[in-house]
């Protein structure tokens, strides 16, 4: 029988690992896992949980970036109202600081603005452990290459040994390697390939809505 499966996606890890400089940002995350990554004969995807944080205008080179992100998240919600869940954290903006640079450029310092995403790691960990305790599924698939989730997988393997764990690494081929800290606790591991992304794109216009793919990204 196919395993009831929940997918947990670290949205920023996926974006910066694979999507940022690609043509596949209008990604259908449900189709990606339901049809491209997993086999329907062995996995029944009951839910995809997408963890992210609203970007701030001050962290963007393009003033339209926050609107495009909202547009994308709305597209996922309307396309899969019962299958895709968006869990939002927040982005923290720190006080600007000066950083010294090469004086040969004619400038001694540049002003640097730092940002940090909050709540995503904790939300993923809490949700995975809670879902395991409530027996909502028989397989969990974590999409990240962030080794901060090692304690989560370790605890799941220790206290829920019957739960099947999969790791999907959002990394470019020949660029980075799957996290060994994460891989040691899972039953299987797979990388997302470019053909997976190209074959899992949302429609240009989301049916029964006015939401369209942005003209530029």
């Amino acid at each position: 029988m196919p395993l009831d499966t929940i997918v947990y996606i670290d949205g920023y890890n996926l974006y910066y690992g694979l999507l940022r400089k690609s043509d596949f940002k209008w990604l259908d995350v449900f189709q990606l896992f339901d049809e491209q990554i997993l086999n329907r004969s062995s996995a029944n995807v009951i839910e995809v949980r997408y963890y992210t944080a609203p970007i701030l205008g001050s962290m963007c080179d393009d003033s339209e970036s926050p609107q495009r992100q909202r547009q994308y998240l709305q597209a996922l919600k309307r396309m899969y109202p019962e299958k895709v869940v968006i869990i939002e954290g927040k982005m923290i903006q720190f006080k600007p600081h000066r950083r010294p640079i090469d004086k040969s450029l004619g400038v001694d310092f540049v002003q640097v603005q730092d940002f940090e995403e909050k709540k995503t790691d904790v939300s993923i960990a809490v949700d995975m452990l809670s879902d395991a305790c409530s027996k909502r599924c028989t397989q969990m698939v974590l999409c990240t290459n962030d080794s901060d989730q090692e304690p989560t997988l370790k605890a799941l393997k220790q206290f829920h040994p019957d739960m099947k764990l999969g790791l999907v690494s959002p990394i470019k081929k020949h660029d980075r390697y799957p996290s060994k800290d994460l891989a040691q606790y899972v039953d299987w591991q797979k990388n997302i390939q470019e053909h997976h992304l190209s074959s899992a794109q949302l429609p240009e216009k989301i049916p029964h809505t006015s939401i369209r793919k942005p003209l530029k990204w």
Side-chain angles (χ1 to χ4, degrees):
M1 293 289 291
L3 299 173
D4 285 344
T5 301
I6 299 179
V7 179
Y8 305 81
I9 302 175
D10 183 333
Y12 272 84
N13 203 267
L14 172 61
Y15 180 81
Y16 285 104
L18 280 179
L19 301 178
R20 186 182 183 189
K21 296 181 180 180
S22 79
D23 296 323
F24 308 120
K25 298 183 182 73
W26 198 238
L27 183 64
D28 186 329
V29 292
F30 186 83
Q31 185 183 15
L32 174 67
F33 284 89
D34 187 49
E35 298 181 13
Q36 302 298 319
I37 302 298
L38 301 171
N39 190 322
R40 286 185 175 179
S41 64
S42 59
N44 171 38
V45 180
I46 61 175
E47 190 171 87
V48 172
R49 302 177 67 84
Y50 186 88
Y51 300 80
T52 187
I55 59 177
L56 304 176
S58 55
M59 64 186 287
C60 306
D61 295 328
D62 189 334
S63 62
E64 295 181 6
S65 292
Q67 173 59 30
R68 284 196 294 265
Q69 185 196 38
R70 290 192 293 270
Q71 204 169 331
Y72 174 63
L73 296 180
Q74 283 299 316
L76 290 178
K77 291 177 183 178
R78 296 296 295 273
M79 191 75 179
Y80 298 101
E82 297 180 359
K83 291 289 187 178
V84 175
V85 179
I86 310 295
I87 300 92
E88 293 191 19
K90 60 182 179 179
M91 194 65 70
I92 300 296
Q93 180 175 346
F94 293 97
K95 184 178 179 180
H97 62 275
R98 297 201 307 167
R99 180 175 295 172
I101 62 172
D102 189 344
K103 292 185 178 181
S104 65
L105 299 176
V107 180
D108 293 335
F109 296 90
V110 294
Q111 181 169 288
V112 177
Q113 182 72 67
D114 289 333
F115 302 87
E116 184 177 350
E117 183 189 6
K118 289 289 188 179
K119 295 187 178 181
T120 289
D121 288 346
V122 173
S123 294
I124 292 175
V126 170
D127 284 354
M128 292 185 77
L129 291 168
S130 176
D131 290 341
C133 289
S134 61
K135 301 185 185 302
R136 286 196 63 213
C137 58
T138 48
Q139 177 173 241
M140 294 180 166
V141 177
L142 177 61
C143 178
T144 190
N145 203 44
D146 185 352
S147 60
D148 285 349
Q149 291 299 341
E150 178 189 357
T152 307
L153 296 180
K154 182 179 180 180
L156 286 167
K157 184 58 66 176
Q158 179 179 356
F159 296 108
H160 302 277
D162 294 334
M163 178 69 69
K164 190 164 186 179
L165 299 176
L167 175 65
V168 176
S169 305
I171 54 178
K172 293 181 180 178
K173 191 176 181 181
H174 307 309
D175 184 19
R176 298 167 62 198
Y177 295 95
S179 168
K180 292 182 179 179
D181 294 332
L182 301 180
Q184 64 180 318
Y185 296 111
V186 300
D187 299 293
W188 58 268
Q189 185 275 329
K190 190 171 184 178
N191 289 11
I192 301 176
Q193 305 293 335
E194 185 171 296
H195 69 86
H196 295 142
L197 300 175
S198 63
S199 299
Q201 293 292 295
L202 291 165
E204 295 280 334
K205 180 180 182 298
I206 304 302
H208 313 298
T209 75
S210 60
I211 302 172
R212 291 182 176 274
K213 179 181 179 180
L215 294 177
K216 63 174 184 174
W217 206 304

